[in-house]
Amino acid sequence: MRQITTLQSHILAEEFKHPGASGTFSWILSALAVSAKIIASKMRRARLEDVLGALDSDNVQGEQQQKLDVIANEVLIRALGNREGVAIVASEENDEPLVMRDDPSGQRRYCVLFDPLDGSSNLDVAGGVGTIFSILRHDRRAPSATASVLQPGVQQAAAGYILYGSSTVFVLTTGSGVQMFVLDPSIGAFLLVEPNLRVPQTGKTYSCNEGNRKQFPEGYQRYLDWAQDNGYSSRYAGAMVADVHRTLLKGGVFLYPPTKKAPNGKLRLMYEANPMAMLMEQAGGKALAGAGRLMEIEPTEVHQRTSVVMGSADEVDRVVSFL
């Protein structure tokens, strides 16, 4: 019989490995787990409670906000704001990072960045959506909240996502491999189902929005020609969480190339690309922006965008060979 390990017990076990740990980091992960349960519950009742559809407002990127975007954002801000170890939260839905605590004490605090509901356009059709998060160590010497969060992905203390689909899946890395948990609604706990998750080395599947193919640079178009000539299958869910989750489990490659409309790429470096890159690398895969390592990009803006190629190591190398 498989040993039962909850997300909470896993967090505590990891804390015990660090004798000097104060528990601050564990409390932040706990807040994210609680937020995930609340958001999952609200999503199951979204149609019944009439919170599907769009609002008459746009977010900072000029994209129309969905009702559940705002609800999920508020849940995360409130849950994280109650944690003493959180100095700053930054959301894709807010113009600027929010300072939760600003004092010169020596206590170690963190910045938590998140996309509250990735793929929210899937909500009205019951498609897969998710929450993506990144945790950084707060730099008390930084002159502003924005300056504190502008750190490259290699400096992330933890990253993960929650997929709200046929089940609620919590995937986490704290820099020592990738662990996958699934919510058991009968007991209200996330249970470990895949310790030390590893992405397959290869996989004959690619994931990208081929509706934009004519806008892709020629190298990406040549790769797609090659993949289709060599029996690769296309899978695209329209939510980065869902597409990367499948890639982690089944192998293959996830692509979001630059386009004529978005020459720097479309995905958000801080809220989407960096946390997913950390997960992919910790699982044995690769994550690039063009031909360079994604997590080494030095960010200059909180809402900076980037192109993405990530997935099985061999498949990422294959894409790069065409660029």
Side-chain angles (χ1 to χ4, degrees):
M1 183 177 180
R2 175 187 289 180
Q3 181 179 354
I4 297 175
T5 302
T6 66
L7 175 59
Q8 198 66 36
S9 62
H10 171 77
I11 292 170
L12 291 174
E14 289 297 304
E15 182 182 323
F16 290 147
K17 294 178 182 179
H18 302 84
S22 64
T24 298
F25 190 71
S26 299
W27 274 110
I28 295 172
L29 293 175
S30 175
L32 290 165
V34 170
S35 299
K37 295 174 192 177
I38 295 171
I39 295 169
S41 175
K42 290 185 177 296
M43 290 190 58
R44 286 195 298 271
R45 297 187 56 80
R47 178 73 66 180
L48 299 173
E49 296 181 359
D50 193 27
V51 289
L52 290 177
L55 295 169
D56 294 328
S57 61
D58 294 343
N59 63 17
V60 66
Q61 288 86 26
E63 300 165 338
Q64 190 171 39
Q65 289 180 304
Q66 302 294 311
K67 294 175 183 177
L68 274 169
D69 276 327
V70 176
I71 292 172
N73 195 50
E74 183 66 20
V75 167
L76 284 157
I77 290 174
R78 291 178 66 181
L80 290 164
N82 287 330
R83 296 301 196 249
E84 180 65 25
V86 177
I88 296 169
V89 296
S91 168
E92 183 184 311
E93 300 299 323
N94 296 114
D95 292 356
E96 300 291 339
L98 304 175
V99 177
M100 299 287 107
R101 286 163 193 86
D102 184 16
D103 64 64
S105 70
Q107 180 178 347
R108 166 65 70 188
R109 289 199 170 99
Y110 295 87
C111 306
V112 185
L113 292 73
F114 53 83
D115 179 352
L117 217 51
D118 171 69
S120 56
S121 59
N122 282 348
L123 287 166
D124 289 354
V125 295
V129 297
T131 297
I132 309 173
F133 63 87
S134 169
I135 302 176
L136 298 162
R137 294 174 180 86
H138 174 49
D139 183 358
R140 294 187 299 272
R141 300 165 299 176
S144 67
T146 298
S148 183
V149 302
L150 288 179
Q151 302 178 41
V154 290
Q155 294 183 15
Q156 291 174 110
Y161 63 80
I162 302 100
L163 172 63
Y164 311 104
S166 56
S167 58
T168 302
V169 182
F170 194 118
V171 179
L172 171 69
T173 182
T174 56
S176 300
V178 176
Q179 322 303 325
M180 184 170 76
F181 304 82
V182 172
L183 180 63
D184 183 342
S186 67
I187 61 173
F190 283 100
L191 302 181
L192 180 64
V193 296
E194 191 69 47
N196 300 313
L197 177 65
R198 304 294 291 176
V199 62
Q201 187 75 12
T202 62
K204 299 187 70 171
T205 302
Y206 66 87
S207 174
C208 71
N209 184 354
E210 289 192 79
N212 293 327
R213 177 169 175 157
K214 291 185 177 180
Q215 295 189 46
F216 292 165
E218 289 185 5
Y220 291 97
Q221 295 193 44
R222 288 196 298 270
Y223 165 75
L224 291 173
D225 288 339
W226 177 89
Q228 291 164 2
D229 288 341
N230 284 272
Y232 279 55
S233 298
S234 173
R235 296 286 186 273
Y236 185 67
M240 187 185 190
V241 169
D243 287 317
V244 171
H245 183 68
R246 186 199 57 253
T247 303
L248 273 171
L249 297 181
K250 302 292 186 180
V253 64
F254 171 81
L255 309 167
Y256 220 111
T259 63
K260 294 176 183 177
K261 290 183 179 179
N264 295 321
K266 186 177 179 182
L267 294 179
R268 286 76 175 175
L269 174 66
M270 307 297 290
Y271 306 109
E272 298 170 317
N274 270 343
M276 289 303 205
M278 183 178 183
L279 285 163
M280 193 62 71
E281 288 194 4
Q282 285 290 316
K286 289 186 176 182
L288 307 179
R293 188 184 179 200
L294 199 156
M295 288 202 295
E296 292 181 350
I297 296 173
E298 292 285 347
T300 57
E301 301 174 14
V302 176
H303 297 288
Q304 185 170 333
R305 306 215 184 206
T306 184
S307 61
V308 168
V309 179
M310 66 172 60
S312 300
D314 288 356
E315 302 304 335
V316 171
D317 289 343
R318 178 76 70 179
V319 175
V320 172
S321 71
F322 286 90
L323 302 184

Short mmCIF file of all heavy atoms in Angstrom, two decimals, residues 202-213 216 219-240 242-244 246-248 250-257 308-312 314-316 318-320 322:
data_model
loop_
_atom_site.label_atom_id
_atom_site.label_comp_id
_atom_site.label_asym_id
_atom_site.label_seq_id
_atom_site.Cartn_x
_atom_site.Cartn_y
_atom_site.Cartn_z
N THR A 202 12.25 12.42 -24.62
CA THR A 202 11.70 12.72 -25.94
C THR A 202 10.18 12.58 -25.89
O THR A 202 9.63 12.06 -24.92
CB THR A 202 12.24 11.77 -27.03
OG1 THR A 202 11.84 10.42 -26.71
CG2 THR A 202 13.76 11.83 -27.11
N GLY A 203 9.53 13.01 -26.95
CA GLY A 203 8.08 12.88 -27.05
C GLY A 203 7.62 13.48 -28.36
O GLY A 203 7.92 14.64 -28.66
N LYS A 204 6.89 12.72 -29.15
CA LYS A 204 6.54 13.18 -30.50
C LYS A 204 5.24 13.99 -30.47
O LYS A 204 4.27 13.68 -31.15
CB LYS A 204 6.44 11.98 -31.45
CG LYS A 204 7.75 11.22 -31.59
CD LYS A 204 7.70 10.14 -32.65
CE LYS A 204 7.64 10.73 -34.04
NZ LYS A 204 7.81 9.71 -35.10
N THR A 205 5.27 15.06 -29.67
CA THR A 205 4.13 15.96 -29.56
C THR A 205 4.64 17.38 -29.45
O THR A 205 5.60 17.65 -28.72
CB THR A 205 3.29 15.64 -28.31
OG1 THR A 205 2.85 14.29 -28.36
CG2 THR A 205 2.06 16.54 -28.23
N TYR A 206 4.02 18.29 -30.17
CA TYR A 206 4.33 19.71 -30.00
C TYR A 206 3.05 20.46 -29.66
O TYR A 206 1.95 20.05 -30.03
CB TYR A 206 4.98 20.30 -31.27
CG TYR A 206 4.08 20.34 -32.48
CD1 TYR A 206 3.21 21.42 -32.71
CD2 TYR A 206 4.09 19.31 -33.40
CE1 TYR A 206 2.39 21.44 -33.82
CE2 TYR A 206 3.27 19.33 -34.51
CZ TYR A 206 2.42 20.40 -34.72
OH TYR A 206 1.60 20.42 -35.82
N SER A 207 3.21 21.54 -28.93
CA SER A 207 2.06 22.32 -28.48
C SER A 207 2.31 23.79 -28.80
O SER A 207 3.23 24.40 -28.25
CB SER A 207 1.87 22.14 -26.97
OG SER A 207 0.86 22.99 -26.49
N CYS A 208 1.50 24.35 -29.68
CA CYS A 208 1.59 25.78 -29.99
C CYS A 208 0.30 26.22 -30.66
O CYS A 208 -0.48 25.39 -31.13
CB CYS A 208 2.79 26.11 -30.87
SG CYS A 208 2.65 25.55 -32.57
N ASN A 209 0.07 27.51 -30.71
CA ASN A 209 -1.10 28.05 -31.37
C ASN A 209 -0.80 28.20 -32.86
O ASN A 209 -0.25 29.21 -33.30
CB ASN A 209 -1.47 29.41 -30.76
CG ASN A 209 -2.75 29.97 -31.35
OD1 ASN A 209 -3.31 29.42 -32.29
ND2 ASN A 209 -3.21 31.08 -30.79
N GLU A 210 -1.16 27.18 -33.62
CA GLU A 210 -0.83 27.18 -35.04
C GLU A 210 -1.67 28.19 -35.82
O GLU A 210 -1.40 28.43 -37.01
CB GLU A 210 -0.99 25.78 -35.63
CG GLU A 210 0.10 24.83 -35.15
CD GLU A 210 0.14 23.53 -35.94
OE1 GLU A 210 0.69 23.54 -37.07
OE2 GLU A 210 -0.38 22.52 -35.43
N GLY A 211 -2.65 28.80 -35.19
CA GLY A 211 -3.37 29.88 -35.85
C GLY A 211 -2.48 31.07 -36.13
O GLY A 211 -2.76 31.89 -37.01
N ASN A 212 -1.36 31.16 -35.40
CA ASN A 212 -0.39 32.24 -35.60
C ASN A 212 0.79 31.81 -36.47
O ASN A 212 1.76 32.56 -36.59
CB ASN A 212 0.15 32.72 -34.25
CG ASN A 212 -0.92 33.40 -33.41
OD1 ASN A 212 -1.81 34.05 -33.93
ND2 ASN A 212 -0.81 33.23 -32.10
N ARG A 213 0.71 30.64 -37.06
CA ARG A 213 1.89 30.08 -37.74
C ARG A 213 2.49 31.01 -38.79
O ARG A 213 3.71 31.14 -38.89
CB ARG A 213 1.50 28.75 -38.39
CG ARG A 213 2.64 28.12 -39.18
CD ARG A 213 2.34 26.71 -39.60
NE ARG A 213 3.40 26.17 -40.43
CZ ARG A 213 3.65 24.89 -40.60
NH1 ARG A 213 2.89 24.00 -39.98
NH2 ARG A 213 4.61 24.49 -41.38
N PHE A 216 4.95 33.38 -37.36
CA PHE A 216 6.15 32.88 -36.69
C PHE A 216 7.38 33.17 -37.55
O PHE A 216 7.32 33.16 -38.78
CB PHE A 216 6.07 31.37 -36.49
CG PHE A 216 5.03 30.90 -35.50
CD1 PHE A 216 4.66 29.56 -35.45
CD2 PHE A 216 4.42 31.77 -34.63
CE1 PHE A 216 3.72 29.11 -34.55
CE2 PHE A 216 3.47 31.34 -33.72
CZ PHE A 216 3.11 30.01 -33.68
N GLY A 219 12.32 29.98 -38.83
CA GLY A 219 12.88 28.80 -38.18
C GLY A 219 11.81 27.96 -37.50
O GLY A 219 11.84 26.72 -37.58
N TYR A 220 10.87 28.60 -36.83
CA TYR A 220 9.78 27.86 -36.18
C TYR A 220 8.88 27.20 -37.22
O TYR A 220 8.39 26.08 -37.01
CB TYR A 220 8.95 28.81 -35.30
CG TYR A 220 9.69 29.31 -34.09
CD1 TYR A 220 10.33 30.56 -34.11
CD2 TYR A 220 9.75 28.57 -32.92
CE1 TYR A 220 11.00 31.04 -33.01
CE2 TYR A 220 10.42 29.05 -31.80
CZ TYR A 220 11.05 30.28 -31.85
OH TYR A 220 11.71 30.75 -30.75
N GLN A 221 8.66 27.87 -38.34
CA GLN A 221 7.83 27.28 -39.39
C GLN A 221 8.52 26.06 -40.00
O GLN A 221 7.86 25.05 -40.30
CB GLN A 221 7.52 28.33 -40.46
CG GLN A 221 6.67 29.49 -39.95
CD GLN A 221 6.12 30.35 -41.07
OE1 GLN A 221 5.62 29.84 -42.07
NE2 GLN A 221 6.20 31.66 -40.91
N ARG A 222 9.84 26.14 -40.14
CA ARG A 222 10.57 24.97 -40.66
C ARG A 222 10.49 23.81 -39.67
O ARG A 222 10.36 22.64 -40.08
CB ARG A 222 12.03 25.34 -40.93
CG ARG A 222 12.26 26.23 -42.13
CD ARG A 222 13.73 26.23 -42.56
NE ARG A 222 14.59 26.74 -41.50
CZ ARG A 222 14.92 28.02 -41.35
NH1 ARG A 222 14.47 28.91 -42.21
NH2 ARG A 222 15.73 28.40 -40.38
N TYR A 223 10.58 24.12 -38.38
CA TYR A 223 10.44 23.05 -37.39
C TYR A 223 9.07 22.38 -37.49
O TYR A 223 8.98 21.14 -37.47
CB TYR A 223 10.63 23.58 -35.96
CG TYR A 223 10.14 22.58 -34.94
CD1 TYR A 223 10.87 21.43 -34.65
CD2 TYR A 223 8.89 22.73 -34.32
CE1 TYR A 223 10.40 20.48 -33.76
CE2 TYR A 223 8.41 21.79 -33.43
CZ TYR A 223 9.17 20.66 -33.15
OH TYR A 223 8.68 19.71 -32.29
N LEU A 224 8.02 23.17 -37.61
CA LEU A 224 6.67 22.60 -37.69
C LEU A 224 6.53 21.74 -38.95
O LEU A 224 5.88 20.67 -38.91
CB LEU A 224 5.62 23.71 -37.66
CG LEU A 224 5.49 24.44 -36.32
CD1 LEU A 224 4.54 25.62 -36.46
CD2 LEU A 224 5.02 23.50 -35.22
N ASP A 225 7.11 22.17 -40.06
CA ASP A 225 7.09 21.33 -41.27
C ASP A 225 7.77 20.00 -41.01
O ASP A 225 7.26 18.93 -41.37
CB ASP A 225 7.82 22.06 -42.42
CG ASP A 225 7.02 23.23 -42.97
OD1 ASP A 225 5.79 23.25 -42.78
OD2 ASP A 225 7.65 24.14 -43.56
N TRP A 226 8.94 20.06 -40.35
CA TRP A 226 9.67 18.83 -40.04
C TRP A 226 8.86 17.92 -39.12
O TRP A 226 8.77 16.70 -39.35
CB TRP A 226 11.02 19.17 -39.39
CG TRP A 226 11.79 17.95 -38.98
CD1 TRP A 226 12.68 17.25 -39.73
CD2 TRP A 226 11.69 17.27 -37.71
NE1 TRP A 226 13.15 16.16 -39.02
CE2 TRP A 226 12.56 16.15 -37.79
CE3 TRP A 226 10.97 17.49 -36.55
CZ2 TRP A 226 12.72 15.26 -36.73
CZ3 TRP A 226 11.12 16.60 -35.49
CH2 TRP A 226 11.98 15.51 -35.57
N ALA A 227 8.28 18.50 -38.06
CA ALA A 227 7.53 17.71 -37.09
C ALA A 227 6.34 17.01 -37.76
O ALA A 227 6.08 15.82 -37.51
CB ALA A 227 7.05 18.60 -35.96
N GLN A 228 5.64 17.73 -38.62
CA GLN A 228 4.49 17.12 -39.29
C GLN A 228 4.90 16.06 -40.29
O GLN A 228 4.20 15.06 -40.48
CB GLN A 228 3.67 18.22 -39.95
CG GLN A 228 2.97 19.12 -38.93
CD GLN A 228 2.46 20.42 -39.50
OE1 GLN A 228 2.57 20.68 -40.71
NE2 GLN A 228 1.90 21.27 -38.64
N ASP A 229 6.06 16.24 -40.89
CA ASP A 229 6.56 15.22 -41.83
C ASP A 229 7.07 13.98 -41.11
O ASP A 229 7.25 12.93 -41.74
CB ASP A 229 7.70 15.81 -42.69
CG ASP A 229 7.20 16.81 -43.71
OD1 ASP A 229 6.00 16.80 -44.00
OD2 ASP A 229 8.02 17.62 -44.19
N ASN A 230 7.31 14.09 -39.80
CA ASN A 230 7.90 12.98 -39.05
C ASN A 230 6.95 12.41 -38.00
O ASN A 230 7.40 11.80 -37.02
CB ASN A 230 9.21 13.43 -38.41
CG ASN A 230 10.34 13.52 -39.41
OD1 ASN A 230 11.05 12.55 -39.67
ND2 ASN A 230 10.51 14.71 -39.99
N GLY A 231 5.68 12.57 -38.22
CA GLY A 231 4.69 11.88 -37.40
C GLY A 231 4.42 12.47 -36.04
O GLY A 231 3.87 11.79 -35.16
N TYR A 232 4.75 13.75 -35.82
CA TYR A 232 4.45 14.39 -34.54
C TYR A 232 2.97 14.77 -34.48
O TYR A 232 2.35 15.09 -35.51
CB TYR A 232 5.31 15.63 -34.34
CG TYR A 232 6.71 15.35 -33.84
CD1 TYR A 232 7.56 14.47 -34.53
CD2 TYR A 232 7.18 15.95 -32.68
CE1 TYR A 232 8.85 14.22 -34.07
CE2 TYR A 232 8.47 15.70 -32.21
CZ TYR A 232 9.29 14.83 -32.91
OH TYR A 232 10.55 14.57 -32.45
N SER A 233 2.41 14.75 -33.30
CA SER A 233 1.03 15.15 -33.09
C SER A 233 0.97 16.55 -32.47
O SER A 233 1.85 16.94 -31.71
CB SER A 233 0.32 14.17 -32.14
OG SER A 233 0.26 12.88 -32.69
N SER A 234 -0.08 17.27 -32.80
CA SER A 234 -0.29 18.60 -32.24
C SER A 234 -1.30 18.53 -31.10
O SER A 234 -2.35 17.90 -31.22
CB SER A 234 -0.82 19.55 -33.32
OG SER A 234 -1.17 20.80 -32.76
N ARG A 235 -0.96 19.16 -29.97
CA ARG A 235 -1.86 19.24 -28.82
C ARG A 235 -1.80 20.66 -28.28
O ARG A 235 -0.73 21.15 -27.96
CB ARG A 235 -1.44 18.26 -27.72
CG ARG A 235 -1.52 16.79 -28.12
CD ARG A 235 -2.98 16.32 -28.18
NE ARG A 235 -3.06 14.90 -28.43
CZ ARG A 235 -3.06 14.33 -29.63
NH1 ARG A 235 -2.99 15.11 -30.71
NH2 ARG A 235 -3.15 13.03 -29.75
N TYR A 236 -2.94 21.32 -28.21
CA TYR A 236 -2.96 22.71 -27.72
C TYR A 236 -4.26 22.97 -26.99
O TYR A 236 -5.33 22.89 -27.58
CB TYR A 236 -2.79 23.68 -28.89
CG TYR A 236 -2.67 25.13 -28.46
CD1 TYR A 236 -1.56 25.57 -27.73
CD2 TYR A 236 -3.65 26.06 -28.78
CE1 TYR A 236 -1.45 26.89 -27.33
CE2 TYR A 236 -3.54 27.38 -28.39
CZ TYR A 236 -2.44 27.79 -27.67
OH TYR A 236 -2.33 29.11 -27.27
N ALA A 237 -4.15 23.27 -25.69
CA ALA A 237 -5.34 23.48 -24.86
C ALA A 237 -5.72 24.94 -24.71
O ALA A 237 -6.81 25.25 -24.23
CB ALA A 237 -5.12 22.86 -23.48
N GLY A 238 -4.81 25.85 -25.07
CA GLY A 238 -5.12 27.26 -24.93
C GLY A 238 -4.88 27.80 -23.53
O GLY A 238 -5.30 28.91 -23.21
N ALA A 239 -4.23 27.02 -22.68
CA ALA A 239 -3.83 27.46 -21.34
C ALA A 239 -2.44 26.90 -21.08
O ALA A 239 -2.24 25.68 -21.18
CB ALA A 239 -4.81 26.98 -20.28
N MET A 240 -1.50 27.77 -20.73
CA MET A 240 -0.12 27.30 -20.54
C MET A 240 -0.04 26.21 -19.49
O MET A 240 0.70 25.24 -19.63
CB MET A 240 0.77 28.47 -20.16
CG MET A 240 2.25 28.10 -20.11
SD MET A 240 3.29 29.45 -19.53
CE MET A 240 4.92 28.80 -19.89
N ALA A 242 -2.22 23.89 -18.63
CA ALA A 242 -2.67 22.61 -19.16
C ALA A 242 -1.66 22.03 -20.16
O ALA A 242 -1.37 20.82 -20.15
CB ALA A 242 -4.04 22.76 -19.82
N ASP A 243 -1.12 22.89 -21.02
CA ASP A 243 -0.18 22.41 -22.04
C ASP A 243 1.16 21.97 -21.42
O ASP A 243 1.72 20.95 -21.81
CB ASP A 243 0.05 23.50 -23.08
CG ASP A 243 -1.14 23.69 -24.00
OD1 ASP A 243 -1.72 22.68 -24.43
OD2 ASP A 243 -1.50 24.84 -24.27
N VAL A 244 1.68 22.73 -20.47
CA VAL A 244 2.94 22.37 -19.84
C VAL A 244 2.75 21.13 -18.96
O VAL A 244 3.63 20.26 -18.89
CB VAL A 244 3.51 23.55 -19.04
CG1 VAL A 244 4.70 23.11 -18.19
CG2 VAL A 244 3.93 24.67 -19.98
N ARG A 246 0.72 18.61 -19.46
CA ARG A 246 0.76 17.43 -20.35
C ARG A 246 2.17 17.16 -20.83
O ARG A 246 2.61 16.00 -20.89
CB ARG A 246 -0.17 17.65 -21.56
CG ARG A 246 -0.30 16.41 -22.46
CD ARG A 246 -0.82 16.75 -23.84
NE ARG A 246 0.04 17.72 -24.48
CZ ARG A 246 -0.28 18.99 -24.65
NH1 ARG A 246 -1.45 19.45 -24.26
NH2 ARG A 246 0.59 19.83 -25.22
N THR A 247 2.92 18.20 -21.15
CA THR A 247 4.29 18.02 -21.61
C THR A 247 5.16 17.40 -20.52
O THR A 247 5.99 16.52 -20.79
CB THR A 247 4.88 19.37 -22.07
OG1 THR A 247 4.04 19.93 -23.10
CG2 THR A 247 6.28 19.20 -22.61
N LEU A 248 4.99 17.85 -19.28
CA LEU A 248 5.75 17.26 -18.17
C LEU A 248 5.49 15.77 -18.02
O LEU A 248 6.39 14.98 -17.76
CB LEU A 248 5.40 17.97 -16.86
CG LEU A 248 6.17 19.24 -16.49
CD1 LEU A 248 5.52 19.91 -15.29
CD2 LEU A 248 7.63 18.93 -16.21
N LYS A 250 3.94 13.63 -20.39
CA LYS A 250 4.00 12.81 -21.60
C LYS A 250 5.22 13.07 -22.47
O LYS A 250 5.53 12.28 -23.36
CB LYS A 250 2.74 13.04 -22.45
CG LYS A 250 1.42 12.74 -21.73
CD LYS A 250 1.27 11.25 -21.46
CE LYS A 250 -0.12 10.95 -20.89
NZ LYS A 250 -0.28 9.49 -20.61
N GLY A 251 5.90 14.19 -22.23
CA GLY A 251 7.01 14.54 -23.09
C GLY A 251 6.56 15.37 -24.27
O GLY A 251 5.38 15.56 -24.52
N GLY A 252 7.53 15.87 -25.04
CA GLY A 252 7.22 16.73 -26.17
C GLY A 252 7.75 18.12 -25.93
O GLY A 252 8.66 18.33 -25.11
N VAL A 253 7.19 19.09 -26.63
CA VAL A 253 7.68 20.47 -26.52
C VAL A 253 6.52 21.44 -26.56
O VAL A 253 5.55 21.25 -27.31
CB VAL A 253 8.71 20.77 -27.64
CG1 VAL A 253 8.07 20.70 -29.01
CG2 VAL A 253 9.39 22.11 -27.42
N PHE A 254 6.62 22.50 -25.74
CA PHE A 254 5.65 23.59 -25.72
C PHE A 254 6.32 24.81 -26.32
O PHE A 254 7.42 25.19 -25.91
CB PHE A 254 5.20 23.88 -24.29
CG PHE A 254 4.37 25.12 -24.15
CD1 PHE A 254 3.01 25.11 -24.45
CD2 PHE A 254 4.94 26.32 -23.73
CE1 PHE A 254 2.25 26.26 -24.33
CE2 PHE A 254 4.19 27.47 -23.60
CZ PHE A 254 2.83 27.44 -23.91
N LEU A 255 5.65 25.42 -27.30
CA LEU A 255 6.22 26.56 -28.03
C LEU A 255 5.31 27.77 -27.92
O LEU A 255 4.10 27.65 -28.10
CB LEU A 255 6.37 26.25 -29.52
CG LEU A 255 7.07 24.98 -29.97
CD1 LEU A 255 6.80 24.75 -31.45
CD2 LEU A 255 8.55 25.11 -29.72
N TYR A 256 5.90 28.92 -27.64
CA TYR A 256 5.18 30.18 -27.83
C TYR A 256 6.16 31.14 -28.48
O TYR A 256 6.82 31.93 -27.82
CB TYR A 256 4.64 30.74 -26.51
CG TYR A 256 3.25 31.33 -26.70
CD1 TYR A 256 2.12 30.75 -26.15
CD2 TYR A 256 3.08 32.48 -27.49
CE1 TYR A 256 0.86 31.28 -26.36
CE2 TYR A 256 1.83 33.02 -27.70
CZ TYR A 256 0.72 32.42 -27.13
OH TYR A 256 -0.53 32.95 -27.35
N PRO A 257 6.29 31.07 -29.82
CA PRO A 257 7.29 31.86 -30.53
C PRO A 257 6.91 33.34 -30.57
O PRO A 257 5.76 33.72 -30.32
CB PRO A 257 7.26 31.27 -31.95
CG PRO A 257 6.53 29.97 -31.84
CD PRO A 257 5.57 30.15 -30.71
N VAL A 308 8.94 31.46 -25.67
CA VAL A 308 9.19 30.26 -24.85
C VAL A 308 9.33 29.03 -25.73
O VAL A 308 8.54 28.83 -26.67
CB VAL A 308 8.05 30.04 -23.83
CG1 VAL A 308 8.16 28.66 -23.19
CG2 VAL A 308 8.04 31.12 -22.76
N VAL A 309 10.34 28.21 -25.44
CA VAL A 309 10.45 26.84 -25.95
C VAL A 309 10.83 25.98 -24.75
O VAL A 309 11.91 26.16 -24.18
CB VAL A 309 11.52 26.70 -27.05
CG1 VAL A 309 11.59 25.24 -27.53
CG2 VAL A 309 11.25 27.63 -28.21
N MET A 310 9.95 25.07 -24.33
CA MET A 310 10.28 24.24 -23.17
C MET A 310 9.68 22.85 -23.32
O MET A 310 8.69 22.64 -24.01
CB MET A 310 9.80 24.89 -21.87
CG MET A 310 8.31 25.03 -21.69
SD MET A 310 7.85 25.60 -20.02
CE MET A 310 8.67 27.17 -19.91
N GLY A 311 10.34 21.89 -22.65
CA GLY A 311 9.84 20.53 -22.69
C GLY A 311 10.96 19.52 -22.59
O GLY A 311 12.01 19.77 -21.98
N SER A 312 10.76 18.36 -23.20
CA SER A 312 11.77 17.30 -23.22
C SER A 312 13.08 17.85 -23.80
O SER A 312 13.08 18.57 -24.81
CB SER A 312 11.29 16.13 -24.08
OG SER A 312 10.10 15.58 -23.57
N ASP A 314 15.56 16.61 -25.54
CA ASP A 314 15.87 16.33 -26.95
C ASP A 314 14.97 17.11 -27.89
O ASP A 314 15.40 17.54 -28.97
CB ASP A 314 15.73 14.83 -27.23
CG ASP A 314 16.85 14.01 -26.61
OD1 ASP A 314 17.78 14.61 -26.03
OD2 ASP A 314 16.79 12.77 -26.69
N GLU A 315 13.71 17.29 -27.50
CA GLU A 315 12.77 17.99 -28.37
C GLU A 315 13.06 19.49 -28.41
O GLU A 315 12.91 20.14 -29.45
CB GLU A 315 11.33 17.73 -27.92
CG GLU A 315 10.94 16.27 -27.88
CD GLU A 315 11.12 15.55 -29.21
OE1 GLU A 315 11.10 16.22 -30.27
OE2 GLU A 315 11.31 14.32 -29.20
N VAL A 316 13.47 20.07 -27.28
CA VAL A 316 13.86 21.47 -27.27
C VAL A 316 15.09 21.69 -28.15
O VAL A 316 15.15 22.64 -28.94
CB VAL A 316 14.12 21.95 -25.82
CG1 VAL A 316 14.74 23.35 -25.81
CG2 VAL A 316 12.82 21.95 -25.01
N ARG A 318 15.90 19.96 -30.66
CA ARG A 318 15.45 19.82 -32.05
C ARG A 318 14.89 21.14 -32.58
O ARG A 318 15.21 21.58 -33.68
CB ARG A 318 14.40 18.75 -32.15
CG ARG A 318 13.81 18.55 -33.54
CD ARG A 318 14.73 17.80 -34.46
NE ARG A 318 14.84 16.40 -34.03
CZ ARG A 318 15.58 15.49 -34.67
NH1 ARG A 318 16.26 15.83 -35.73
NH2 ARG A 318 15.63 14.25 -34.22
N VAL A 319 14.06 21.80 -31.77
CA VAL A 319 13.50 23.09 -32.20
C VAL A 319 14.61 24.09 -32.45
O VAL A 319 14.65 24.78 -33.48
CB VAL A 319 12.51 23.64 -31.14
CG1 VAL A 319 12.05 25.04 -31.54
CG2 VAL A 319 11.31 22.71 -30.99
N VAL A 320 15.57 24.17 -31.51
CA VAL A 320 16.65 25.14 -31.62
C VAL A 320 17.49 24.91 -32.87
O VAL A 320 18.00 25.86 -33.47
CB VAL A 320 17.53 25.10 -30.36
CG1 VAL A 320 18.79 25.96 -30.51
CG2 VAL A 320 16.73 25.57 -29.14
N PHE A 322 16.57 24.37 -35.70
CA PHE A 322 15.94 25.00 -36.86
C PHE A 322 15.96 26.52 -36.78
O PHE A 322 15.63 27.20 -37.76
CB PHE A 322 14.48 24.54 -36.99
CG PHE A 322 14.32 23.14 -37.49
CD1 PHE A 322 14.27 22.08 -36.61
CD2 PHE A 322 14.24 22.87 -38.86
CE1 PHE A 322 14.12 20.75 -37.05
CE2 PHE A 322 14.09 21.58 -39.31
CZ PHE A 322 14.04 20.52 -38.42
#
